[in-house]
Amino acid sequence: MGTLFRWLGLRAEDSRKLWVMLPVFYCGGIAELLNYTAFMALFNQRFGVQFIPFVYIAEAVIMPLEGWLLAKLADRLPKAKLMRTLYLMMTGLLLVNGLILLAFKLGGVDYRFYYPILFICSNFVVRQLTLLLWSTAFDLCPTQQAKRLMPIFVGSAMVGGITAGFIAQQVTRYWGTEAVYLLAPFFLLLGLWNFRKAIARYLAPLAIRDDARVGAPEAGAGVAAEQTSGAHFRQMLRNPFLICAVALMTLMPALYFLMEYQYFSTTQRIFHEERDLTAYYGMIITLQFTMALVFQTFAGRLMNWLGASNMLLAIALVFMGGFGLTALFSDTPFGLAVVSGAYAVIYILLYYTAEPCYQLFFKMLPISQRDGVRYVAQGIAASGGILLGALLSLLHSQGLLDIRPQAIAGVGFAVLLVAVAWFGRNLYIKELVKSVQSFRSDLSETVASFLGGMRSTKALQGVLEYLDDPKDDVREVALEMIGRAKDSSFLPKLIELIRDKNPRIRIAALRAMNLQGAALQELVQVASLLEDEEPGVRVECVKLIAKAQHLKSQAHYFIRMKLLDPHPQVIAEGIKAIYALQSEESYPACDEAVVKLLDTGGEWAVQGCHTIADLKLYAYTDWILSLLDDHRPAVKVAAAHCLGRLQVEEAVGSLLLMYPAADQELRKTIVQSLIAMGDKAVPALMEGLQDPHPFIWDASVAALSDLLSDSQIRDTLVEACVQRMQGSSREKALSAAIRRLGMDGLADLAAQRYKEIRLALSSAAWSVLSKLADERVVASVRETVQDDNEEIRENGLEVLAEGLGDRRIAYALLDMLKEGSEAGDGEQDDPKAVLEHARRWSDHWLREIAVYAIKREEQDGLASEQKLLTILDKVMFLKQVSLFTDVSVDELGLIAGITQEEVYPDQTYLLRQGETNSSMYLIVEGTVELSSVSSGGLESTLGVLGPKQAIGDTTALDQAKSSVTAQVIFDEIRVLSVRGDSLERLVRLYPEIGIGLLHASSARVRLLESMLTKMG
């Protein structure tokens, strides 16, 4: 199975959805083709193939009403319920029709005018069942997973079609066409259990919030929708490319319906018995879907190579060839085989290749307009295609044309289709450039999907005119599109742009260039940008010159000089370029440049880490390890990332120890680095599972959940998470016990620590669940259980109660979440017994808090006489300072460790106006007066500060001159001082402190404004 998954490009997390949805697509494919085979045979034989055009016209009239009703249903029902309702509706329609047909057969009666109703109802199922299955699969899978699984799902549906062909051939011989039709709903019922399971497991959790809020109408919604539809229609009419797209989407179905009519007419003329006709339909379906299955194996590669534009052009050519062959052989003994083959190929190309390509037509539109224009265009094209196909079919059914002239007419329309596809291909490129303002983010992916991997030089010639456009954004897009062609023929035009005044254009021109085969003179012209004033331009120039392998010595000469560039990124790219050119004589110079990057520090060290990681320079491992102690967060992040890329397993312990006090960016990088180390990190991470610190344990679980297999996760991580979560419930009692002893500040600290432990434990549990269930579902449930809306929150908890991913860990997480939202029962326990028990807990902060509380209780109020504050005293005090409101207990401990407790007597000046200040003071006890002397010599009091307030916070960072005087008044004062350089480091490490400083400065400004107003 593992070999098969690797061959198919699947991942372990794909298997769960694969086994749930494969039976649905397989049964759906069988049901759809049994239904199609049977109702077409019944209609053609019992009502007449000549009436097919009239039924299609009726369908074209009904389809807008059908779309409106389905839209209303979608508005009124939650997403998951809508999916189930549609599936049951289609199953019910087929079952009712099947029972009616059975009653006709058993009763020996026949009502001829029932068959148009059968045709319309059954064709509705054919259309909507396919859409339902595809949309369900896309909703269930993230984009990348959908790309992997959709070919498998398509293949399953095709195998279902092959099976349906065999079933139809055998069943119709013994029980007739009615039995074939009646089997269709039973196969849908076979797939229903898996369909409901997939909806409940993957889709319903994603739509919890929408389900809870469904039915809440917005004022004016109907008017807005009507206006929007009209606006979309007018927008489409003004856009030549969209008109061309609608023409393609109309002509292709129209020609298909015409070919379908020719196929049915030809087969009915040859097979006069209903059983023979149904059996032949079944045989063609078997061959058709066997061919489709074979085609599916290389369709993806063909699409990537040709691109959607060339694929549509190729399909148009196949359409033209199909009608041409039909016109040539329709009256010969080969007529049946030719028309059957043409019909089978056109069916596959239209429904399995062309329709996905259509979606790229709308990708250049803004997201806010995309769906509206798409639905308007598809509605017009669907109705227009059916009507046009029906009218072309009427030419034969009404005796105006024979089959051969009708096929010739089809050739004419196919020629028109080819012209539209060619014209639309060229229009698309220009439309893409013009729509740059709303379409910048996914440009490369969409250009690649539409143009494919073929050299599109001729198609891109029209883009050259946009290189002179006055809008820089337009020129950038044009350059990006030209760059995809990798064609050196554009080089002369691109070289003209390297002198542009806008550095963005110079950078884009360099990225678009291809120097393979370039002359030395052209290389010299490009190399002139190595002295550009913009570092970004020099960086791109170095990258480009490194690719000129045919001028290796000259390229090396130019790049080596950039090892002395004043910008670190240019130096870093120069080092990588020399290694890419394999210029071994310059490796010592590269080593010197790397040493310079690391030794300079700051942004230079960051670039040095990236270079070492990219080139796998293991000799610098020890130096990178030392950078983990750098006081600059960016350097720490780069060093952690580099160690992961180098797979230095010796760094696992250091990275785990850094994790509790790290900011969010560094924490994310640490986990990614641990994962990047692969199996080498597993032993050390397994030891981390035994660490008492909740955040170190959380980091270990997060990394291991990505490194271990599903079975290892269930055997190791699930049990570890369950035990840890179950053991955490007792820790809630500590806060209540301390509060009952009258130590509210200490109780608040214990409560905060307990919340932090719960956060770490739940984070680890969610990480494990995301590997055992669908990642999007877990993320959605995690979000809903934290929602403010009680109903939404309860729905999320209900999903957990169903055993999401793994029942053991889901139930343990559910218990912890419910326990955290309810009042604890710890108030019934003896407080002193809880404190004694807490002295042996694994978390060191809770142990310290318990020991501190016991000492306070034993001293019976004498603790206030102590002369020096302990670390825990400082932590309790800092927690009450507004600057540190959002800082964790671990971080408070680190801050407390760098503060100095100081006592100053009455009348001492902490700050003097006009003098520099290098420290921030946090008042523990005492009072400070703030005063200022105006330019006229008038001294005034600005305010008085007391405990838990800060002094000097606005000047300590940059050691600026103080604008106020701060003097101790009334009695001595006790403060915690933090030096300016230490404060700067705190702000870098914990952005929350910087936000607190901003709030404090704003409050100080408001106080000053108030005092000035009073003085005025």
Side-chain angles (χ1 to χ4, degrees), residues 56-57 59-60 63 127 253-254 257 381-391:
Y56 277 144
I57 292 173
E59 276 198 318
M63 281 182 68
R127 287 195 308 271
F257 289 126
S383 295
I386 292 175
L387 283 173
L388 181 57
L391 292 173

Side-chain angles (χ1 to χ4, degrees), residues 740-770:
R740 290 180 64 190
L741 295 175
M743 308 176 199
D744 290 344
L746 195 62
D748 290 342
L749 190 65
Q752 179 178 342
R753 184 57 180 176
Y754 172 68
K755 290 179 181 177
E756 292 169 5
I757 291 173
R758 285 183 68 251
L759 180 64
L761 297 181
S762 63
S763 174
W766 289 118
S767 297
V768 173
L769 281 179
S770 68

Side-chain angles (χ1 to χ4, degrees), residues 552 556 560 578-579 581-589:
K552 182 177 176 180
H556 169 250
R560 174 159 180 154
I578 287 175
Y579 272 86
L581 291 169
Q582 298 179 345
S583 304
E584 297 184 9
E585 67 273 18
S586 292
Y587 285 177

Side-chain angles (χ1 to χ4, degrees), residues 828-877:
Q828 305 300 321
D829 300 330
D830 178 22
K832 293 185 178 180
V834 173
L835 293 179
E836 285 295 335
H837 193 248
R839 296 176 69 170
R840 298 185 295 276
W841 287 352
S842 60
D843 185 68
H844 73 285
W845 278 111
L846 293 182
R847 289 200 310 269
E848 290 290 331
I849 292 171
V851 170
Y852 185 91
I854 290 172
K855 289 182 179 178
R856 285 278 300 270
E857 183 66 14
E858 290 174 350
Q859 293 174 359
D860 195 19
L862 298 178
S864 60
E865 299 177 3
Q866 64 186 15
K867 298 301 181 182
L868 294 176
L869 299 174
T870 66
I871 287 291
L872 199 56
D873 286 320
K874 291 181 180 180
V875 169
M876 291 171 56
F877 168 73

